[in-house]
Amino acid sequence: DRAIGGAVNIITKKIKSDKIFSGSVAVIGEGDGSNKESLRLNLNTGKIRSYISGGNNRKEGYRDNSELHAYDFAYYIEGDISKNSSLSGKITYHKDECGLPGPLEMADMEENRKKSKYMSDFAKIELKSAELQHVYDIENFEIRNSLVVSEREKKYLMFNKYKGDIEGKKINFISEGRYKAGKNSIIFGTDCLNEESKDGSEKTNKKSLEGYVSDFYKLAESLEINGGARTGVTELEF
């Protein structure tokens, strides 16, 4: 929602190592002074699997006031409730700050293509989220129930003139099932959302409920057809 040119969905790797303790460390330095560090530690006791990770990313940028500094942290834990079900939880935190150098005219580029007209322009983003998920899985049937609570805050100054201070909170419940029967692979589910956002004195509240079903039918080894339907209702308050 509100993605202008697309969206990026980051899915962290599952813990595959048979070792009780494992992990990785990375340190990267670049000639312009940029640097990046990351750390990940895994714990796998068989019935309980968890990891903790953190990262720091600093980019100097090519132009004046184009620096980027980002921090990331995540903690994940998953445990088996029974032979066919598991429960997991995840906490993530992200913060980044960057400068906004702004556009240049041809005369500015001929003078110094690295310059910035707006040395005080900036953007800051802070994201927090917590997710709880239950998975029930047997041979031909799987159902996933997820509850995600997230907060975001964004502040910016553009062209030394336009200021923004945006805050948002979101609660999202998703229930999705997958069922295989013969040549059919059926996916069905519901998506419930309650989102509040504030931009200065303007407040928006969004509530939505959606349902969907889709069937992939295999006609041959390398050919299948897909049909489905999705419906929903959304209420907006300004």
Side-chain angles (χ1 to χ4, degrees):
D1 202 8
R2 285 193 292 272
I4 297 174
V8 177
N9 183 30
I10 298 175
I11 302 173
T12 52
K13 292 180 179 179
K14 292 291 184 181
I15 301 169
K16 296 181 179 180
S17 174
D18 294 331
K19 298 179 181 179
I20 296 178
F21 294 103
S22 61
S24 62
V25 178
V27 178
I28 300 173
E30 299 180 6
D32 63 354
S34 301
N35 60 282
K36 184 176 183 180
E37 298 84 33
S38 63
L39 169 69
R40 173 164 167 149
L41 300 173
N42 303 323
L43 172 65
N44 184 1
T45 64
K47 290 187 176 181
I48 297 178
R49 301 163 294 279
S50 67
Y51 70 78
I52 185 169
S53 66
N56 173 63
N57 186 11
R58 182 187 292 273
K59 290 285 187 181
E60 288 301 316
Y62 176 73
R63 294 175 55 195
D64 297 337
N65 193 35
S66 63
E67 300 86 1
L68 166 69
H69 197 182
Y71 311 87
D72 285 284
F73 170 82
Y75 176 71
Y76 174 84
I77 184 168
E78 176 186 338
D80 297 330
I81 301 175
S82 65
K83 181 181 178 181
N84 302 112
S85 66
S86 64
L87 188 67
S88 64
K90 186 177 183 181
I91 299 172
T92 60
Y93 176 80
H94 171 85
K95 182 179 180 180
D96 66 62
E97 304 176 14
C98 66
L100 303 175
L104 293 179
E105 296 179 0
M106 186 60 69
D108 299 317
M109 293 184 67
E110 291 175 354
E111 177 187 351
N112 180 8
R113 65 189 301 116
K114 292 186 177 183
K115 70 182 292 186
S116 169
K117 280 190 173 183
Y118 309 100
M119 290 297 295
S120 58
D121 282 10
F122 71 92
K124 296 181 180 179
I125 298 176
E126 189 173 17
L127 304 171
K128 306 172 187 176
S129 72
E131 179 180 358
L132 184 66
Q133 184 180 82
H134 176 259
V135 179
Y136 179 76
D137 186 8
I138 56 177
E139 186 176 356
N140 294 319
F141 177 71
E142 177 187 276
I143 188 163
R144 293 176 177 265
N145 296 308
S146 302
L147 177 65
V148 183
V149 180
S150 60
E151 294 183 4
R152 67 184 178 92
E153 184 176 354
K154 180 178 181 179
K155 296 181 180 181
Y156 63 86
L157 174 65
M158 296 179 65
F159 306 114
N160 205 22
K161 181 179 180 181
Y162 302 105
K163 294 182 178 180
D165 190 352
I166 303 170
E167 297 178 358
K169 296 181 180 180
K170 184 188 295 186
I171 300 175
N172 199 188
F173 175 75
I174 302 169
S175 180
E176 182 174 279
R178 295 172 180 264
Y179 177 66
K180 291 185 178 181
K183 296 182 179 181
N184 295 277
S185 296
I186 303 169
I187 301 173
F188 57 92
T190 59
D191 193 334
C192 308
L193 174 68
N194 187 357
E195 181 179 11
E196 298 177 357
S197 61
K198 180 182 178 182
D199 186 357
S201 60
E202 298 182 4
K203 295 182 180 180
T204 306
N205 181 248
K206 176 182 177 180
K207 297 178 181 179
S208 66
L209 174 63
E210 299 186 356
Y212 56 90
V213 61
S214 181
D215 182 22
F216 294 84
Y217 183 79
K218 204 154 193 174
L219 294 173
E221 185 63 30
S222 58
L223 180 64
E224 68 179 10
I225 58 173
N226 168 237
R230 186 182 186 101
T231 184
V233 58
T234 300
E235 180 183 278
L236 289 169
E237 294 180 358
F238 301 96

